[in-house]
Amino acid sequence: MTKTVLILGSSGKIGKHARDAFWNAGWEIRCFDRATDNLITSAKGCDVIVNGWNPAGYKDWATLIPQLTRDVINAAKASGATVIVPGNIYNFAEKLGVFDEHTPHAATTRKGKIRIQMEKDYKQAAADGVQTIVLRAGSFIDPDGDDDVMGLVHFRNITKRKLIHMGDPNIRHAYCYLPDWAKAAVSLAERRNKLEPFEDIPFEGHSFTVNELKSQLEKHSGDTIKLQAFPWALMRVLSPFWTLAYEMLEMKPSWLNSHSLSGTKLRRLLPEFKPTDLETVMMCSLPAEFDPNQSVPSRSVPVDA
């Protein structure tokens, strides 16, 4: 029997990797076009909806995320589809430790409060018959792009043999290799009938320090890598005039508090799941100029959008 998934945001980070992973697993793929498609119509006959939508500008989150959430819930109600949502750690308060499905959602930041309400809306919809899976992850690592945390921050000056850190380089930070997230999403989708109406599932991914990343880079290249501090003071000066600087400051605590995500629940649900090895994850986003002879991870089979 053919299984069908509707991908929202199929050209974005989550969407493109989900698209490829579901395709490789034998699912029929529908890619939603916001300019021309009707969401209710597009979702008809679908088994799963992957919500890869994310407003481009953080300043629009407060108005757009609630509306997008309502639209997805309505489409899922009409079609009977299970919704898979990429969760993050914005929901949590500024604290250290290992986050799991029992960690209180106590964020005080604007983005955190918006995400908390979004998940509450999905949980309420689950009580009304819409199954939702929140697959929660750390900072994205995208091997196919340079607009993730690696490209925009850590590796920004790596061709000069400088590695940027956002705080104490010994602080452990949670990362999510997106092809792994997408494979886990497929496996959960295929077992959706065995899951609860609302599932909060932490995706452990990998957690590592900047100093550990530095050591791996030096091993990989044979060169000495210098550490360079992220310009938080400049962000503070620019924040009244530049939205991104303001949003970066709001996310600063996650770079100052050592944390990781628990893998206990995912291992119980998907005992056969094996993540990509840490070395590959650390090195996948290196620009070709850093090491022209580096091996680049092969991309999965693309799907026509």
Side-chain angles (χ1 to χ4, degrees), residues 48 147 157 160-161 163 168 186 203 249 271 284 295 302:
V48 170
D147 60 345
N157 291 330
K160 301 175 183 177
R161 293 336 193 226
L163 178 64
D168 183 338
V186 172
F203 181 79
L249 285 171
C284 71
S295 59

Side-chain angles (χ1 to χ4, degrees), residues 192-205:
R192 63 195 182 280
N193 293 334
K194 298 180 180 179
L195 300 178
E196 296 297 324
F198 182 85
E199 291 278 12
D200 180 348
I201 304 174
F203 181 79
E204 182 178 21

Side-chain angles (χ1 to χ4, degrees), residues 64-81:
L64 290 183
I65 285 185
Q67 181 60 57
L68 294 175
T69 301
R70 286 192 295 271
D71 291 346
V72 173
I73 288 172
N74 288 335
K77 281 182 179 178
S79 64

Side-chain angles (χ1 to χ4, degrees), residues 57-304:
Y58 283 121
K59 63 183 176 63
D60 299 322
W61 271 33
T63 54
L64 290 183
I65 285 185
Q67 181 60 57
L68 294 175
T69 301
R70 286 192 295 271
D71 291 346
V72 173
I73 288 172
N74 288 335
K77 281 182 179 178
S79 64
T82 295
V83 181
I84 299 179
V85 180
N88 57 39
I89 67 167
Y90 293 173
N91 303 48
F92 304 133
E94 302 168 4
K95 58 174 287 185
L96 309 174
V98 180
F99 302 139
D100 63 17
E101 66 274 21
H102 305 298
T103 302
H105 292 189
T108 58
T109 63
R110 186 177 63 89
K111 290 193 295 297
K113 291 177 180 179
I114 292 170
R115 294 290 300 201
I116 289 171
Q117 185 58 53
M118 181 194 80
E119 291 183 25
K120 285 182 178 178
D121 291 343
Y122 278 114
K123 193 167 187 176
Q124 179 58 53
D128 295 334
V130 174
Q131 185 181 43
T132 300
I133 300 168
V134 177
L135 186 54
R136 190 180 310 284
S139 296
F140 294 160
I141 295 179
D142 183 357
D144 297 338
D146 59 2
D147 60 345
D148 59 2
V149 67
M150 289 295 191
L152 292 175
V153 180
H154 294 321
F155 290 166
R156 189 173 183 86
N157 291 330
I158 199 62
T159 56
K160 301 175 183 177
R161 293 336 193 226
K162 294 180 179 180
L163 178 64
I164 296 177
H165 62 92
M166 305 281 277
D168 183 338
N170 290 310
I171 288 292
R172 188 162 298 278
H173 188 86
Y175 296 89
C176 169
Y177 185 63
L178 285 176
D180 285 350
W181 184 96
K183 286 189 294 183
V186 172
S187 295
L188 291 169
E190 292 177 339
R191 300 178 193 192
R192 63 195 182 280
N193 293 334
K194 298 180 180 179
L195 300 178
E196 296 297 324
F198 182 85
E199 291 278 12
D200 180 348
I201 304 174
F203 181 79
E204 182 178 21
H206 293 288
S207 59
F208 52 86
T209 71
V210 168
N211 271 334
E212 289 171 339
L213 179 58
K214 176 178 179 291
S215 295
Q216 189 59 54
L217 286 165
E218 291 177 336
K219 175 184 174 183
H220 176 82
S221 66
D223 296 334
T224 298
I225 304 297
K226 295 182 179 180
L227 293 180
Q228 179 180 358
F230 185 79
W232 287 115
L234 179 60
M235 294 298 104
R236 189 166 299 282
V237 170
L238 295 175
S239 61
F241 319 103
W242 186 26
T243 301
L244 181 58
Y246 171 84
E247 301 298 343
M248 290 292 292
L249 285 171
E250 201 176 53
M251 291 184 284
K252 184 178 179 180
S254 71
W255 295 101
L256 302 181
N257 295 304
S258 186
H259 68 273
S260 61
L261 286 158
S262 170
T264 301
K265 184 173 182 177
L266 188 67
R267 283 192 292 271
R268 174 169 55 81
L269 295 174
L270 305 178
E272 77 290 350
F273 179 77
K274 302 296 182 190
T276 301
D277 66 276
L278 178 59
E279 181 177 353
T280 297
V281 171
M282 284 180 166
M283 299 294 102
C284 71
S285 299
L286 277 173
E289 296 82 0
F290 179 81
D291 180 3
N293 298 315
Q294 68 176 308
S295 59
V296 178
S298 58
R299 294 189 59 175
S300 51
V301 179
V303 180
D304 292 334

